[in-house]
Amino acid sequence: MLDKKMQSALSDQVTKEFYSAYLYMSMASYLEDQVLPGLAKWMRVQAQEESCHALIFFNYICEQGCQVDLGAIAAPDKEFKSVAEVFRRTLEHERLVTASIHKIADLAISIKDHATKQFLEWFIAEQVEEENSAETMLRQAKRLEDDKALFLLDKEAGARVFALPA
Ligand code: MG
């Protein structure tokens, strides 16, 4: 059984992870519209991962014998100026998610909820990876100025495959 504050924080995180998936689908749609199917695929995989994250939080709340308090998912932005802008926003968003997860870990520590603290460890490590991959994509996109280079990045991004979280 979770503390009421923890049940609420974890439920909010479910909504946030679904929002992340929604935001990345909006970016995927922009990339499709720019005729960059490889980058769009990368972003679709990113969205799939976020849906999985939402379900992992959801399942944990259920396992703890609590109800999930699902909130409203806001409409994501759909206006992006460039590919670099998309990845700048991705990195910015992942940093917000990291801060949110760290805040829940702080709460777990403060109320001595060891089970939740341990549960969050996978996510804490995952966020390091998420920020790193968003930053790599941003740095590459910024460096590319001509269409040929963008075409190559698109091919590389298109090789990404979805894998279920361990
Ligand atoms: Mg996530």
Side-chain angles (χ1 to χ4, degrees), residues 13 17 20 49-50 53 94 97 101 123 126-127 130:
Q13 194 62 34
E17 299 289 343
S20 299
E49 279 193 8
E50 301 308 339
H53 294 169
E94 285 305 323
V97 173
I101 289 169
F123 282 96
E126 168 72 7
Q127 282 310 117
E130 292 275 38

Side-chain angles (χ1 to χ4, degrees), residues 3-94:
D3 178 276
K4 189 83 199 129
K5 268 191 287 183
M6 184 54 81
Q7 184 249 358
S8 168
L10 290 169
S11 291
D12 286 349
Q13 194 62 34
V14 174
T15 307
K16 285 177 189 176
E17 299 289 343
F18 276 128
Y19 173 76
S20 299
Y22 217 36
L23 174 64
Y24 295 141
M25 284 309 288
S26 178
M27 291 174 172
S29 170
Y30 165 81
L31 294 164
E32 293 281 3
D33 192 52
Q34 297 297 305
V35 202
L36 293 166
L39 287 167
K41 186 189 165 203
W42 190 98
M43 206 50 91
R44 283 170 186 259
V45 170
Q46 184 73 11
Q48 265 184 297
E49 279 193 8
E50 301 308 339
S51 299
C52 263
H53 294 169
L55 290 174
I56 295 169
F57 277 103
F58 184 97
N59 291 341
Y60 177 72
I61 298 166
C62 295
E63 264 170 32
Q64 284 283 358
C66 296
Q67 196 172 347
V68 184
D69 191 5
L70 291 171
I73 301 170
D77 284 340
K78 52 189 171 196
E79 310 288 344
F80 306 100
K81 284 186 268 189
S82 63
V83 172
E85 154 94 352
V86 164
F87 288 106
R88 188 183 60 73
R89 299 274 303 277
T90 300
L91 177 59
E92 201 177 271
H93 184 68
E94 285 305 323

